[in-house]
Amino acid sequence: MSSNSENNKKIVKNTLALYFRQVVTMVVSLFTSRVVLAQLGVADFGINNVVGGVVIMLSFLTDSLSGTTQRFLSVELGKNDLLNLKQVFANSLSLHIIFILLTVVLAETVGLWFLQTKLVIPPERAVAAFWVFQFSVISFLKNVFFAPFYGAIKAHEKFDFYAKMSIFDVIMKLVAAYMLLVLPYDKLVALAFMWLCVGIAGKIIVYIYCCLNFEECKIKLSWTKDWIRQLLGYNAYTVIGAISYIIRFQGLNIVLNLYYGPVMNAAQGIANTVNGAISSFSNNVMIATQPQIIMSYAKEDKQRLWTLITKTSKLNFYLFLILALPFIMEINTALYIWLGNYPQYAPVFAQLFLLEGLQRILGHPITIANMAVGKLRAVTIQSIIFRLVILLCAVFIGLYKLSPVYIYISALVLQGVSFSITVVIVLKMQLGFSIKKYFIDVILPISKTNLVVVSLPIVSHYVFSKSIVSSCGVGLFTLIWSMIIVFYIGLDKNEKQMVVNKLPPFLRKMIFFK
């Protein structure tokens, strides 16, 4: 019991560190996007999103590679085996170097061909797009090489350092964006180069920290057959799953470019920035909980595993809902305050992205549980199928010149079906948990909460949102209303007590909790 209590305190401490990190990174990132949009213009902003966005999209792949290292390191940390820790890291680093070599070949052949022959880019911006692509590829290769180091940081639960490095990264990117005001060079190329330099500086700091704090984190390559087989088998499905997500997400971006033009890419990029900023808040809980989920499975503590999965699922969803609902209700005002002028479809894209984000957030604990089990094939295959179907629907919509909104509506529906199948595979087939109990503990309280939480904000939006001031008032009311309903309806008695215990005494009296 005391061990679980200490682990829970560690989760809370890490979550708070990650929340502070997210507050800073969100504010700075949103401001950076405004500066970049103003300096580049809509067309170059769209080009940067579709070409330079390869780093953002491929970050899902580097996160997956980092997650593989973290998974195996967390298991060995649970067993307290230093020798295996060193073996996991050294063999993982060897595999990543091989992956880097393969990526270089593909990027400079297939990637370059697609950039120069298929994407819709104004002829006068072709050279700039080429250099943005090259800098983006180098940045991605850098991220792949350092993925094991980030895996070690997360496995050791050193999230305070992780938070500091994230803040360093976004602040330096903002500095780079402001330098565009005085640099005499092509602004699109200069921005891509400066962001690459920022990334390299950050990775050097990460390397030094890991070498000083973790015995296993030395650049020492190894090729141990048993470890390579385990890592490669696990990595194969992880990478395939990540690539399918990249193809799905970047594929939709390319479909928008081919059928609707680069301005639509700018709308998609803005919407994705909004979704990413908000989802990152609730992701912090998942990042802090992930090592504990994996170690609970490794220790065969199924009761704690179930508790972590269900509690984190609800908490993740509620946090995202509280933060996202005001933006869903008042997205036009939010974008106007943030950007001033914005592309036509940016508001509706942002609303659909946030709704899909709610689905994805709910599924994160299930995904981590699947990682802990290590049987990724079934989940990966069904995910690939649905992502390809989403892409095919987008092509069909583009060919028939339908509204691009239908692309993301179809993605929202198909993603929901995929999530339902994943729940059955992981909880029922792999872990032997009850789907009915998951419905009672997670889905039912979330559904009841949603019905109540959206009622008054919808009425308030249509009755009172007549100006910027009144719209901001509706957004603030929606935020407060969501927090109240989530607390009183969404949480069970133990969860309420846990929340109240974290509050100052005067707030406890206001809530009248007994």
Side-chain angles (χ1 to χ4, degrees):
M1 182 65 69
S2 59
S3 176
N4 285 345
S5 177
E6 289 299 317
N7 288 331
N8 291 338
K9 289 179 181 178
K10 185 182 294 185
I11 291 174
V12 172
K13 176 186 174 183
N14 289 331
T15 300
L16 291 175
L18 291 170
Y19 262 94
F20 175 75
R21 161 243 188 193
Q22 195 54 44
V23 170
V24 177
T25 57
M26 184 187 74
V27 172
V28 176
S29 295
L30 292 177
F31 196 70
T32 300
S33 296
R34 179 176 182 138
V35 174
V36 171
L37 179 60
Q39 291 300 308
L40 297 185
V42 173
D44 272 7
F45 188 85
I47 293 172
N48 185 63
N49 186 57
V50 73
V51 179
V54 66
V55 175
I56 299 174
M57 292 303 99
L58 290 175
S59 66
F60 290 101
L61 183 55
T62 54
D63 286 346
S64 299
L65 293 170
S66 172
T68 297
T69 304
Q70 177 187 344
R71 187 264 179 187
F72 282 91
L73 289 177
S74 294
V75 170
E76 299 308 324
L77 282 171
K79 299 175 181 178
N80 198 27
D81 192 326
L82 179 59
L83 179 60
N84 280 347
L85 277 175
K86 294 180 178 180
Q87 285 292 315
V88 167
F89 189 87
N91 283 277
S92 180
L93 196 60
S94 299
L95 285 176
H96 286 192
I97 290 176
I98 292 175
F99 185 77
I100 287 172
L101 297 176
L102 293 174
T103 303
V104 170
V105 174
L106 289 174
E108 297 302 326
T109 53
V110 177
L112 203 55
W113 166 82
F114 191 84
L115 170 71
Q116 296 176 337
T117 63
K118 297 300 180 182
L119 289 183
V120 179
I121 295 174
E124 66 274 13
R125 304 305 293 149
V127 174
F130 169 82
W131 285 110
V132 171
F133 176 78
Q134 295 297 338
F135 293 143
S136 299
V137 169
I138 296 172
S139 183
F140 170 66
L141 299 178
K142 160 187 62 67
N143 292 342
V144 171
F145 180 81
F146 283 95
F149 293 90
Y150 278 93
I153 291 170
K154 294 176 182 178
H156 287 274
E157 301 182 74
K158 300 297 183 181
F159 292 107
D160 53 344
F161 175 76
Y162 178 79
K164 292 174 184 175
M165 289 310 303
S166 297
I167 294 172
F168 169 83
D169 184 66
V170 294
I171 289 177
M172 294 306 297
K173 283 186 176 181
L174 177 59
V175 172
Y178 267 113
M179 288 179 66
L180 294 177
L181 292 169
V182 296
L183 289 176
Y185 310 108
D186 185 295
K187 292 184 177 181
L188 182 59
V189 176
L191 182 69
F193 177 73
M194 287 190 292
W195 281 4
L196 170 62
C197 293
V198 168
I200 292 174
K203 295 302 183 290
I204 292 174
I205 297 172
V206 167
Y207 170 71
I208 294 172
Y209 176 85
C210 289
C211 287
L212 292 176
N213 290 276
F214 312 136
E215 291 188 46
E216 70 271 18
C217 289
K218 302 291 188 290
I219 298 183
K220 179 181 178 182
L221 304 183
S222 180
W223 196 266
T224 306
K225 184 177 179 181
D226 289 341
W227 279 116
I228 290 294
R229 179 176 54 81
Q230 291 184 57
L231 289 166
L232 194 58
Y234 191 93
N235 250 330
Y237 286 110
T238 302
V239 170
I240 291 171
I243 289 175
S244 72
Y245 186 83
I246 294 166
I247 291 173
R248 181 264 197 196
F249 204 99
Q250 191 69 0
L252 294 185
N253 210 2
I254 291 171
V255 168
L256 289 175
N257 179 268
L258 294 176
Y259 293 106
Y260 302 98
V263 174
M264 201 65 70
N265 293 124
Q268 189 268 359
I270 290 168
N272 192 51
T273 300
V274 174
N275 178 55
I278 296 174
S279 63
S280 295
F281 272 99
S282 49
N283 280 342
N284 290 327
V285 179
M286 197 64 256
I287 295 173
T289 311
Q290 182 171 335
Q292 294 292 326
I293 290 178
I294 295 173
M295 283 190 275
S296 294
Y297 176 79
K299 295 176 181 177
E300 300 183 355
D301 188 349
K302 297 195 73 173
Q303 180 58 47
R304 177 161 174 77
L305 179 62
W306 174 259
T307 301
L308 287 171
I309 291 173
T310 54
K311 300 296 184 185
T312 307
S313 295
K314 290 172 62 179
L315 184 58
N316 260 11
F317 186 91
Y318 290 146
L319 286 173
F320 193 101
L321 179 66
I322 290 170
L323 294 168
L325 193 57
F327 288 92
I328 294 174
M329 292 289 105
E330 306 299 328
I331 188 63
N332 288 283
T333 299
L335 291 181
Y336 178 78
I337 293 173
W338 171 32
L339 298 172
N341 296 321
Y342 51 83
Q344 177 184 359
Y345 282 93
V348 67
F349 281 0
Q351 289 171 323
L352 291 170
F353 279 25
L354 290 172
L355 290 174
E356 188 179 346
L358 282 167
Q359 290 181 345
R360 188 174 296 111
I361 285 293
L362 186 59
H364 277 182
I366 307 296
T367 302
I368 301 306
N370 182 232
M371 291 174 58
V373 175
K375 298 178 180 178
L376 307 183
R377 181 170 60 181
V379 172
T380 302
I381 290 174
Q382 71 88 16
S383 297
I384 291 173
I385 292 172
F386 276 96
R387 287 164 184 168
L388 291 177
V389 172
I390 289 171
L391 194 54
L392 288 175
C393 287
V395 173
F396 175 84
I397 292 167
L399 283 172
Y400 284 88
K401 303 298 181 182
L402 302 176
S403 170
V405 174
Y406 291 116
I407 292 176
Y408 293 105
I409 291 177
S410 63
L412 180 65
V413 174
L414 291 168
Q415 189 69 35
V417 177
S418 177
F419 164 70
S420 300
I421 295 174
T422 299
V423 169
V424 174
I425 292 174
V426 177
L427 293 187
K428 180 66 176 179
M429 300 174 64
Q430 295 183 351
L431 294 172
F433 291 138
S434 169
I435 300 299
K436 180 180 179 181
K437 189 169 179 11
Y438 178 79
F439 179 84
I440 293 172
D441 289 354
V442 178
I443 303 300
L444 190 58
I446 283 177
S447 300
K448 291 190 298 184
T449 304
N450 283 344
L451 289 175
V452 180
V453 83
V454 301
S455 56
L456 284 184
I458 290 176
V459 174
S460 300
H461 170 76
Y462 286 105
V463 173
F464 298 110
S465 290
K466 306 299 182 182
S467 66
I468 293 179
V469 174
S470 61
S471 179
C472 290
V474 171
L476 180 60
F477 165 75
T478 301
L479 177 66
I480 297 172
W481 171 258
S482 301
M483 294 171 66
I484 294 172
I485 297 304
V486 164
F487 180 82
Y488 282 106
I489 298 180
L491 303 180
D492 61 32
K493 184 176 180 180
N494 291 332
E495 292 164 345
K496 289 176 184 176
Q497 184 68 66
M498 181 181 69
V499 171
V500 170
N501 288 342
K502 302 296 180 183
L503 297 177
F506 75 95
L507 285 178
R508 298 183 198 177
K509 294 179 181 179
M510 291 176 60
I511 296 173
F512 294 108
F513 180 82
K514 295 182 179 181

